[in-house]
Amino acid sequence: VADEHGEPTEDLVPAVLDAAQRHSIKVAFHIQPYKGRTEQSMHDNIRYIIDKYGKHDAFYRFRRSTGRVLPMFYVYDSYLTPPESWAELLTAKGSQSIRGTPYDGVFVALIVEERHKHDILASGFDGIYTYFASNGFSFGSSHQNWKAIKTFCDTNNLLFIPSVGPGYVDTAVRPWNNHNTRNRVNGRYYETSLQAALSVRPEIVTITSFNQWHEGTQIERAVPKKTLTRLYLDYQPNQPDHYLQLTRQWAENFNKEKDKWLM
């Protein structure tokens, strides 16, 4: 369905999956807080997504430590729904439970405030992600808190998925939000974020976001561009693919490190 910013994206999903498959990329779904999102509607959404796209080769599945391989869903602004409602969907005894059914999955909730970690646990989620690319914007997106969140997750058998970004500037769409701007410093901000993420030894690191130009978090190729109303940020004096190269280096590094952690 469409949100207030755009068109419905349903007809793009097959094209995205097909393109991903051509490049050996897998696709997971990020579920936004659409109007009327409840445990019942989420139950229907999950069934729909798995029935319609679950057989596609590019549909992402994650291997749990138990050996089960399940689809992964990121649930944005999960805190808008109370834990007892999520528990109806995400715990074995819930009235809408998908646990142990063909629609089971790995469900990852957003942590914004510290208290959310207890709500996420009570809800029956499988993991926590931090989303925001601006270090210090929220409790969850503050690098200094990642060690404590990871410890909580390890203690409670939850995945911790820190989110990193190359910088942040959304004043073109939110003129009042300049206190959350984070300068890219020619790639140093990105590398600092990645280092903070790797230092807590997570199983997964997420990047927010590959192409979010209006929030200044894009890492795709960029060349100098200016319109009458906007100056687009480029990566000079670095090459247009600077952030893709950094991402490749850090991903390779991460995979090597992870092999050592799991030995």
Side-chain angles (χ1 to χ4, degrees):
V1 295
D3 65 11
E4 68 272 23
H5 302 299
E7 303 290 324
T9 51
E10 168 78 18
D11 56 347
L12 292 175
V13 176
V16 169
L17 287 164
D18 290 346
Q21 187 179 349
R22 288 196 295 274
H23 296 279
S24 303
I25 293 171
K26 305 285 186 191
V27 177
F29 285 74
H30 193 207
I31 303 191
Q32 298 280 356
Y34 56 81
K35 196 172 176 185
R37 186 178 73 180
T38 63
E39 69 276 16
Q40 173 65 60
S41 71
M42 280 286 288
H43 186 273
D44 297 342
N45 298 155
I46 293 153
R47 289 186 63 140
Y48 177 84
I49 289 169
I50 292 174
D51 284 344
K52 186 149 188 185
Y53 304 116
K55 291 189 173 64
H56 197 290
D57 286 343
F59 186 78
Y60 181 67
R61 284 183 157 78
F62 178 72
R63 183 179 292 279
R64 296 299 320 252
S65 52
T66 57
R68 292 192 73 198
V69 182
L70 296 169
M72 182 174 256
F73 296 92
Y74 291 86
V75 186
Y76 188 67
D77 281 359
S78 43
Y79 59 84
L80 295 174
T81 301
E84 49 275 20
S85 298
W86 284 127
E88 297 293 352
L89 178 72
L90 299 175
T91 61
K93 295 197 171 97
S95 61
Q96 301 282 329
S97 181
I98 41 86
R99 297 306 189 189
T101 75
Y103 301 104
D104 205 347
V106 178
F107 294 87
V108 185
L110 175 67
I111 183 168
V112 179
E113 297 173 26
E114 183 173 14
R115 64 186 173 84
H116 291 158
K117 65 189 186 188
H118 302 290
D119 293 341
I120 288 166
L121 184 62
S123 297
F125 280 101
D126 303 284
I128 290 176
Y129 75 123
T130 63
Y131 186 74
F132 301 105
S134 183
N135 180 20
F137 169 65
S138 68
F139 172 84
S141 74
S142 300
H143 302 164
Q144 67 192 41
N145 297 327
W146 286 355
K147 193 172 177 207
I149 302 171
K150 175 67 158 58
T151 301
F152 176 84
C153 288
D154 287 350
T155 305
N156 293 289
N157 197 29
L158 294 169
L159 282 166
F160 177 51
I161 305 180
S163 305
V164 303
Y168 192 84
V169 55
D170 67 354
T171 47
V173 288
R174 301 183 189 95
W176 40 266
N177 199 32
N178 62 349
H179 61 286
N180 280 315
T181 295
R182 300 291 179 268
N183 194 304
R184 287 178 176 246
V185 213
N186 290 325
R188 285 208 297 283
Y189 180 87
Y190 193 38
E191 296 204 83
T192 301
S193 304
L194 285 158
Q195 186 58 61
L198 263 60
S199 71
V200 299
R201 299 187 161 191
E203 277 193 69
I204 300 176
V205 175
T206 55
I207 300 168
T208 309
S209 153
F210 183 76
N211 61 355
Q212 199 92 318
W213 289 86
H214 63 283
E215 293 184 345
T217 55
Q218 81 286 347
I219 61 170
E220 60 183 307
R221 287 169 60 88
V223 295
K225 180 175 171 66
K226 193 175 177 180
T227 67
L228 287 173
T229 54
R230 180 136 192 214
L231 172 67
Y232 285 86
L233 294 179
D234 57 65
Y235 312 143
Q236 292 185 330
N238 297 295
Q239 295 299 310
D241 64 351
H242 182 56
Y243 286 92
L244 294 180
Q245 295 295 346
L246 284 176
T247 305
R248 179 193 292 268
Q249 287 161 23
W250 279 84
E252 286 171 356
N253 185 20
F254 176 48
N255 283 326
K256 279 190 204 124
E257 291 285 313
K258 209 157 63 158
D259 287 342
K260 285 187 219 156
W261 306 336
L262 300 173
M263 274 164 76

